[in-house]
Amino acid sequence: MSRNSEMGAIMDTQWKCSKEIVGQETTVNTNRDECPRNFLNMPKIMHQGWDNKYAIGVPEGFFGANHCNTKWLLNVMGDTSDFRLMRMLKQGRTRIMFETDQYYQLLDQPSKYLKGNLLERPMFNSKVLLFLNPFGIAIYLRYYNALKIIAKQQKYRKPMIYYNQNNYAAFVNDTSSGDVLVFHFDYIILKREAYGAIRHLLAIKWCPGDSSKLVYRRRYYQYITPFLDWVDICRNVIKRKPNLQLSRITQEMVDAHSPQFKLFELKEMGQVMLEYFELKKLTPENYHDANNHGMYAGRKLLHDKEPSLPSDYVKVFENKPARPVIPHAVSAARRFLMYTYYYDYEHLTTLSQILSVTETFLKNRYFSCNPRCIEASWHKDPLLFQIYDIVNMQVPEDLEADQDSEKAKKVVLREQMWSDIAAKPHMSCWFHRFDILNCVSLLFGVMQNCILKNFPSIIIDRICRILIDVLSSSEFIEPLLSYSFYDTFFGLTCLANCVPGLQSTSVMRVMKKAPLVLTKVYSIPQISDMFSPGFWRRRDAVNEDRPATLDEIGEFLVQRKRLMSMRIMTGEGGEGMSCTSAMGNAGSIIMFARQTERMVEVTQAEEETVDSSKSDTVKKAQDEALHIKRFTRQEIDFRYSCVFGQTFRYAVGRPKLILDETKTLSQNEKESRDVPSRLP
């Protein structure tokens, strides 16, 4: 049948090519067990058990773009009146046109169907052919009334729409030979920015935490991109669509009040080995200097290096060090921040949207301190001490069990299976608090990256404000200010998502503005007493009068931009003033003292010397690059292995890493490489 329009001729050409390349390709080889060649070039035995065993293709029996049924469906669903659509769904001969296995062909040109909206952007490009079912068409064209009516049809007869139903697109990247892409409804929502459809997708039992995938075929090659949950899909789309409104997506799911979505849910992503401080309290029995009794000493344990130990501290740390391995359970907020820090480090194109979604989690009280943590009474200890207590915590296996039963005995929290931890609130609350600490560390890393790239001050101040709000909501604001700078700095560098190249000036930038938040809890004299007398000395005056009002504090800290000078210990057994050099030495001993009379103030010149050392800056940059490379590879391997199982690890030659606390990370990696890299 001849068509008069130019677009009709283009569509005829593309569809003819699609039938020859994609539709008839499966008839060339009659052996149904033959698989298309995979991009990993794996042997045939590895394909057994995959649900993508056969080559994908466009659905059969669809209605063309110019078919009368397609035009009728678009007309019915686009009607502003609900009566007409509901009448069609009640009639048997027209109800089948809305079934989930009924597909319709559309051109990827939304402005062609949405009259008057000439600025509508396509889902892929204007030459793509879409094969969508009625629910997918309603999402694509943002027919929210039709979505609401079709979603309610789940109550009658059999389910009309399944949330994991496949939708198809052809000629996405290859407009000459043809290709096919398979995706689900959630992918359409993100690509078309149809945020109002999220609540209707949740109504048909879509679970945001379920895994999904994109399947792309180009002639004889078939690619699969796995997603663990909705966060992975958002991260995939935002790479090419930086204006994706992550905050609105999150808020839409929160406002839907669906049991399938849990804001506080942590996603397990394997295990992770930490760098942390082993803390000991010095007593007359383990240290010979009586002046240091009652102090704390900490030894830095690196996950890939054996710590050195001075002879004076052999008795203090006589046990063999254990590099803690904990379940790597992360929240959606933390995974968004991880994307900005680990994957968008060079350009930070997604920074605005990531900050907005962090504010959304903050508004919905994700960063609030759990009441169980408040009851522990040490939630206001220094950050470094809180991390140490969480890592080495022992909790009862079951709070409701009898005192004499086996389940009432205490177990080491980090050694438990994540499935058991997630099911018990008295265990999972500590991982939630640990997750918030990692979010704080990532925010510091993102802020420092913006400072190094000379971003406008308004962006840096926004990150600083978010950091202070998170610290205040989680009740980490007092530990950040009440103790020495070492307690804060080393605490931030002992996390799973630490910033190896963290600079003291980045931490102090937040510390300058944090006292203004404490006015809700503390009086003005209490705030001023947190700092040394010399801190309040004005540059143009000799007197040391401390501020008496909040306005004076704000004028002094913000307008005058006074550098933060925290007091740290010096003298025998101490590290001195340089926190950066202490981080570079494996196993160096750091003294944590609270006697303010034995501490001195770090001057501005000393601070600049700490962070301007060329050799140390280069080493920190190398450590940070290694950390980013190692962490991203671990995350990608885990995501693909969740879909393909051990098959993927054997194919790429990286078997699953079994972490042993008694060995370094490098030793664990070496032992994993000794495992045969091929299936028998």
Side-chain angles (χ1 to χ4, degrees), residues 411-431:
V411 295
V412 180
L413 181 60
R414 73 172 188 268
E415 297 177 355
Q416 305 306 304
M417 299 292 294
W418 174 248
S419 57
D420 297 333
I421 296 175
K424 300 173 181 178
H426 72 284
M427 293 185 179
S428 60
C429 65
W430 296 110
F431 277 88

Side-chain angles (χ1 to χ4, degrees), residues 364-397:
N364 289 280
R365 302 183 60 81
Y366 171 78
F367 296 104
S368 299
C369 186
N370 191 287
R372 295 179 183 270
C373 299
I374 297 177
E375 294 175 0
S377 72
W378 49 266
H379 71 287
K380 293 185 179 181
D381 286 351
L383 299 184
L384 188 62
F385 284 58
Q386 292 195 44
I387 297 172
Y388 180 82
D389 290 335
I390 292 175
V391 170
N392 299 280
M393 179 179 293
Q394 294 185 1
V395 295
E397 186 175 357

Side-chain angles (χ1 to χ4, degrees), residues 474-488:
S474 58
E475 299 195 20
F476 282 125
I477 190 72
E478 292 183 53
L480 187 77
L481 289 173
S482 301
Y483 301 97
S484 72
F485 173 78
Y486 273 165
D487 297 328
T488 299

Side-chain angles (χ1 to χ4, degrees), residues 22-139:
V22 181
Q24 298 177 6
E25 209 167 51
T26 56
T27 62
V28 176
N29 192 344
T30 57
N31 185 7
R32 298 293 293 176
D33 292 333
E34 187 67 23
C35 304
R37 289 191 299 170
N38 189 273
F39 73 104
L40 294 175
N41 196 22
M42 294 187 292
K44 181 180 177 181
I45 188 175
M46 295 186 180
H47 294 273
Q48 295 180 358
W50 287 14
D51 56 356
N52 61 314
K53 185 175 181 180
Y54 302 108
I56 62 172
V58 296
E60 298 180 358
F62 62 88
F63 294 106
N66 287 337
H67 195 278
C68 59
N69 288 347
T70 304
K71 296 179 179 179
W72 171 83
L73 182 78
L74 293 173
N75 186 276
V76 171
M77 290 199 303
D79 196 341
T80 55
S81 176
D82 300 342
F83 173 76
R84 187 180 175 192
L85 177 58
M86 295 178 65
R87 182 165 57 87
M88 295 299 174
L89 289 172
K90 292 179 180 179
Q91 298 179 8
R93 62 187 182 88
T94 55
R95 181 184 173 86
I96 59 175
M97 305 299 293
F98 298 89
E99 295 289 346
T100 186
D101 56 350
Q102 196 67 257
Y103 287 91
Y104 300 84
Q105 184 188 57
L106 297 180
L107 299 176
D108 193 8
Q109 299 177 15
S111 57
K112 179 181 178 66
Y113 306 101
L114 299 173
K115 303 301 182 181
N117 297 332
L118 300 179
L119 300 179
E120 288 286 343
R121 295 183 179 181
M123 185 173 172
F124 300 101
N125 60 74
S126 59
K127 296 183 179 181
V128 170
L129 292 177
L130 301 174
F131 303 88
L132 309 175
N133 56 24
F135 199 81
I137 292 176
I139 296 175

